Amino acid sequence: MTQTPSKFGERDVQTVTKTGQSVVPTIDGVKTRSTTNHVDHRGSVFEIFEGENDFFETPLVYAYQFSVRPHLMKGWGVHDHKLDRYTIISGEIVLFLWDARPESPTRDIVQRVVMSDRAVRQVIIPTGVWHISVNLGDEEARLINFPTDVYHHEAPDRRLLAWDHPDVPIRIADHLPKF
């Protein structure tokens, strides 16, 4: 029996190889890491920073926890001087990254990273890369940031854009669930 292709619906596109490697472009300087979860009958543990870990590259100087409520988002934001180093603690977010650095070899690339305890747990966001965190889940997502500089209350190192700003080369609404 021959199947006739449907004219309805959108054709799915490849996102990973057979071995699970992403096929989407990545932004120069963005690093991701999945941590090992140690699970037993009492609960679980994962190591955020192991002391001699080269993932963070520079010493830890400041840390804070933030959250994104269900079905909401935080961003677009960018830093001119510091890196963000996120670790997700609970929940699940989709982190969109947009490289707007003029001299970057990946300028205008948009990278999508799913962060959860079942996927990427840590992300380093370079200076000059815009980012927005979208919580598609039904529970509050909690993250810890270990930026490379302390927060300067009198002069924050942060610029903001609306989530649907026309200069951003991705429409977030196109990536939200279609119910």
Side-chain angles (χ1 to χ4, degrees):
M1 179 166 157
T2 307
Q3 290 187 344
T4 306
S6 174
K7 61 183 177 182
F8 300 106
E10 298 173 25
R11 174 140 329 265
D12 201 1
V13 296
Q14 181 181 11
T15 58
V16 296
T17 65
K18 192 178 203 179
T19 61
Q21 298 297 320
S22 177
V23 299
V24 296
T26 58
I27 294 173
D28 185 48
V30 171
K31 288 175 57 178
T32 62
R33 181 172 93 135
S34 299
T35 60
T36 302
N37 288 320
H38 306 281
V39 180
D40 66 20
H41 66 284
R42 301 165 296 162
S44 64
V45 168
F46 79 95
E47 297 171 357
I48 296 172
F49 175 67
E50 299 94 327
E52 295 298 320
N53 177 332
D54 66 349
F55 181 74
F56 286 107
E57 296 176 349
T58 60
L60 300 182
V61 295
Y62 183 67
Y64 64 89
Q65 183 259 320
F66 71 96
S67 67
V68 183
R69 294 197 181 187
H71 312 291
L72 294 177
M73 60 186 86
K74 284 190 174 181
W76 291 95
V78 68
H79 302 292
D80 294 320
H81 304 289
K82 65 184 173 189
L83 283 72
D84 278 333
R85 302 182 287 192
Y86 288 179
T87 298
I88 193 159
I89 301 303
S90 65
E92 186 170 285
I93 67 164
V94 179
L95 178 66
F96 291 94
L97 306 159
W98 164 42
D99 189 353
R101 299 172 294 178
E103 305 301 319
S104 174
T106 55
R107 180 169 172 79
D108 289 329
I109 294 287
V110 174
Q111 184 176 345
R112 180 177 176 252
V113 178
V114 176
M115 294 186 73
S116 81
D117 63 350
R118 299 178 315 228
V120 168
R121 196 102 195 212
Q122 296 182 312
V123 174
I124 295 179
I125 305 168
T127 301
V129 173
W130 288 88
H131 45 287
I132 187 169
S133 303
V134 181
N135 184 344
L136 301 179
D138 293 327
E139 67 178 78
E140 192 167 14
R142 296 186 184 282
L143 297 94
I144 298 175
N145 189 11
F146 301 94
T148 54
D149 193 11
V150 298
Y151 184 77
H152 298 283
H153 293 82
E154 68 286 353
D157 175 27
R158 183 173 64 185
R159 290 182 285 131
L160 302 170
L161 284 174
W163 72 275
D164 59 350
H165 194 280
D167 290 344
V168 177
I170 183 173
R171 285 179 26 91
I172 296 296
D174 291 345
H175 297 272
L176 299 177
K178 296 173 173 99
F179 296 104

